[in-house]
Amino acid sequence: MFLKKIRFLFLSVIFVFVSCHETKSKIVSNPIKHTGKTVVSEKEDSAVKLKADSIIDISGSYELIKGETFFVDAKRKAIHDSELIINRLSETDFGFYSAYKEKDITPISDFGVLKSFKNKFYLIKICNGNGLGFDAYAQENFTAGTYLYNQVMIRKNKNLLSVIEYGGNFRRYLIYKKKKSGSEGDISLQKTLEKAKNDLRNYTIEYNKVQEYDKNKLQIEYIFKDSIWVSKHKHKEEYASFDYLHTYTNPYQNGRFIKQDSIFYKEFNAYK
């Protein structure tokens, strides 16, 4: 009888030990499995945020600190006043309108859409068939798309924005700061700015349309050619199939403004 009791007690101890071990295993395994899923989820979220945050957000309202236009023949013009407004249209695209004033000259307006591509900003234009040698019927049914028109050198540091624009024989240097709410500028500049705002509004309607282009009829590629990125359009229209390469002036302009670029960035860094 005594042996039977010992044996029963021994089996009971073994049963309790095994049960506790299985329960402990279940409790430990669930947190590990859950933690694994959480880590993967955080990595995926970080990757998405990293992609979005890699685009510098240049949106805002800006007023001029300093501006000058330099020409190839060494002439220069001071820009006395300017305002720039930038609105974000998508993850990569920004609509802008601006006005600037030189001495004794009526304010000049500007507007358009900038695209962030390969960590640089480009003014984009709409390829609508004009100038490609087609008749009116072909242009009316043309599959429109955007292309890189010009590079605009933009740097941002907190509330400061530096901009370099260029043409065939000039380079325009502008340093802006975030505009304080309630501040008003020159009346003629404000009128010109309002006109630029309306021009951008009309242009944005066309821009929105071409974002929904038929990808079966148009393919857009970017090619690195002669030290710049250019846009290649492959058109598959009902009346023709062809390729068209959109290119532009090299932003470095054969090194003709190296000195001015260096001085400009030193001045911009001094404001930080």
Side-chain angles (χ1 to χ4, degrees), residues 120-155:
K120 296 179 180 179
F121 287 95
Y122 295 83
L123 182 66
I124 62 174
K125 293 287 187 179
I126 295 173
C127 173
N128 54 14
N130 292 326
L132 300 185
F134 303 113
D135 56 27
Y137 175 80
Q139 289 179 7
E140 183 180 347
N141 294 278
F142 191 80
T143 305
T146 60
Y147 62 93
L148 305 179
Y149 176 73
N150 244 357
Q151 184 181 335
V152 181
M153 281 65 80
I154 295 177
R155 293 186 183 182

Side-chain angles (χ1 to χ4, degrees), residues 68 87 100 119 130 140 160 207 222 225 231 234 260:
E68 285 186 296
N87 299 313
Y100 69 91
N119 296 319
N130 292 326
E140 183 180 347
L160 297 176
Y207 160 83
Y222 299 105
K225 178 179 173 61
S231 309
K234 292 185 177 181
Q260 286 85 352

Side-chain angles (χ1 to χ4, degrees), residues 191-218:
K191 289 182 178 179
T192 305
L193 195 66
E194 188 64 27
K195 178 184 179 301
K197 181 179 180 179
N198 292 331
D199 289 338
L200 176 63
R201 185 182 294 114
N202 294 331
Y203 183 78
T204 304
I205 294 172
E206 190 176 359
Y207 160 83
N208 289 332
K209 288 180 180 178
V210 301
Q211 297 307 301
E212 304 298 328
Y213 68 88
D214 187 344
K215 294 184 179 180
N216 293 319
K217 293 184 178 181
L218 175 65

Side-chain angles (χ1 to χ4, degrees), residues 57 59 62 155-161 178 268 272:
D57 186 2
S59 60
Y62 300 90
R155 293 186 183 182
K156 183 181 180 183
N157 183 272
K158 296 181 180 178
N159 292 328
L160 297 176
L161 196 74
K178 279 284 182 73
F268 177 64
K272 296 179 180 181

Side-chain angles (χ1 to χ4, degrees), residues 63-69 77-83 99-105 173-174 186 189:
E63 56 187 354
L64 187 71
I65 296 177
K66 183 177 181 180
E68 285 186 296
T69 302
K77 288 186 178 181
I79 299 172
H80 298 285
D81 199 0
S82 177
E83 286 191 31
Y100 69 91
K101 187 177 182 180
E102 297 174 348
K103 186 177 180 180
D104 301 326
I105 296 178
Y173 300 92
L174 303 152
D186 181 85
L189 188 76

Side-chain angles (χ1 to χ4, degrees), residues 47-64:
V48 173
K49 289 179 182 178
L50 180 62
K51 183 179 179 182
D53 293 345
S54 64
I55 306 297
I56 299 174
D57 186 2
I58 58 174
S59 60
S61 297
Y62 300 90
E63 56 187 354
L64 187 71

